[in-house]
Amino acid sequence: MKYSIPIARFVLASSMIVGGACYAADTKCDNCGTVTDVKTVQQKGKGTGLGAVAGGVLGGVLGHQVGGGRGKDIATVAGAAGGAYAGHQTEKNLKTKTVYQVVVKLENGAGRTFSFNAASSYKVGDKIKVVDGKLARQ
């Protein structure tokens, strides 16, 4: 019995007791990690073709009103092409959105990026846990 107290001290010193259960101190949480970066990213919108069609029609109409004879035909084609390009770019710019990304380094070494539509309160250095694919503070 003279060894029972030193052994008990060793067990307590090399493990953690949580809620009556004993866990090794080096247990890793594969879903736990640290926020390493917070970014604001502009994502360009995608054109559906409607902007190009509308721009092409408008550009063609305006180009048709310039010049006369053969020059009128060239102005119509150039106006339609320029209008289509401008309409496409305008549509993409109107659909551009801001995305807020939180980059996390997990304890298992993996990295993950989580995107939000609004600014989050996460900061670099925050300890997090991934629960059901979403971030939660530890």
Side-chain angles (χ1 to χ4, degrees):
M1 272 314 213
K2 63 182 177 178
Y3 295 110
S4 63
I5 292 177
I7 290 174
R9 286 185 185 153
F10 173 77
V11 169
L12 285 175
S14 63
S15 64
M16 297 181 338
I17 297 179
V18 178
C22 185
Y23 297 97
D26 62 346
T27 301
K28 284 194 176 186
C29 169
D30 287 338
N31 294 327
C32 301
T34 305
V35 174
T36 59
D37 196 9
V38 179
K39 301 186 258 187
T40 303
V41 179
Q42 292 288 326
Q43 285 186 339
K44 277 272 191 186
K46 295 184 180 181
T48 61
L50 293 176
V53 170
V57 169
L58 183 60
V61 169
L62 292 175
H64 186 70
Q65 297 183 17
V66 175
R70 190 82 176 127
K72 184 176 268 202
D73 293 341
I74 293 171
T76 301
V77 171
Y85 178 77
H88 181 68
Q89 294 304 317
T90 300
E91 181 182 18
K92 286 181 8 181
N93 287 338
L94 288 173
K95 292 184 176 184
T96 296
K97 66 179 183 174
T98 301
V99 176
Y100 302 89
Q101 295 180 338
V102 177
V103 181
V104 174
K105 175 82 173 190
L106 297 173
E107 288 180 8
N108 65 9
R112 292 200 45 196
T113 301
F114 296 86
S115 296
F116 298 91
N117 292 328
S120 72
S121 61
Y122 293 105
K123 296 183 284 301
V124 173
D126 284 352
K127 299 293 183 190
I128 59 88
K129 185 170 188 172
V130 180
V131 179
D132 294 328
K134 297 180 181 176
L135 288 181
R137 286 195 167 76
Q138 282 189 327

